[in-house]
Amino acid sequence: MSGGTISGNYYGVYVYGGAFTMSGGEISGNTAGNDGGGVYSNRSEFSMSANSSITNNTAGHSGGGVFMGGDVFVPGGTISGNTAPTDPEIGAKDANSIPSYTITVSGAIVGGTVTADKASAKYGEAVTLTATPASDDYVLDDLTVDLQGQLTGY
């Protein structure tokens, strides 16, 4: 899928035993009775780029946005605003299907500290960053988190 919108369907995209690449476009407003309202991928490879979004889909059980049946998932783009009783954004048969990222705070921070509340997080999981100035007159000019989880601040 390189553009356009898939909406108003029972399953936005259902992939079994193949590959689905989303390099652009939107999957939104779809519904599944059980798993994977936006994308249901089983025994398949699913990849998504930064110009793609999976939003406002609903599943009756897990993975309102995306449900992975134990297969490869390459995150990019936006997965948000989806609903399901369990794992509203991304659900999986196998928890190892959802990528985990190491949280690294750059050593180049001057005039204070920045800490993360955990050392790693799965895709879609919140991480709290705390910036603590070395003195009251310290001003945080810039804080950037890139897609690989690298944090820089000055």
Side-chain angles (χ1 to χ4, degrees), residues 13-74:
V13 174
Y14 186 97
V15 184
Y16 185 89
F20 175 61
T21 300
M22 188 175 180
S23 60
E26 177 181 16
I27 299 172
S28 66
N30 301 287
T31 304
N34 198 23
D35 300 320
V39 175
Y40 182 93
S41 178
N42 194 2
R43 298 183 185 188
S44 305
E45 182 175 319
F46 171 65
S47 62
M48 184 176 173
S49 74
N51 297 321
S52 307
S53 65
I54 299 174
T55 60
N56 303 314
N57 298 286
T58 302
H61 180 255
S62 179
V66 177
F67 185 82
M68 298 301 300
D71 303 290
V72 178
F73 177 63
V74 182

Side-chain angles (χ1 to χ4, degrees), residues 113-127:
T113 60
V114 175
T115 57
D117 68 336
K118 54 186 84 171
S120 66
K122 292 213 175 272
Y123 182 81
E125 185 178 17
V127 175

Side-chain angles (χ1 to χ4, degrees), residues 6 15 22-23 28 34 56 58 68 82 88-89 96 98 101-102 111 115 126 128 130 139 145:
I6 297 173
V15 184
M22 188 175 180
S23 60
S28 66
N34 198 23
N56 303 314
T58 302
M68 298 301 300
N82 299 288
E89 304 301 345
N96 292 326
I98 302 172
Y101 298 94
T102 301
T115 57
T128 301
T130 304
V139 176
V145 179

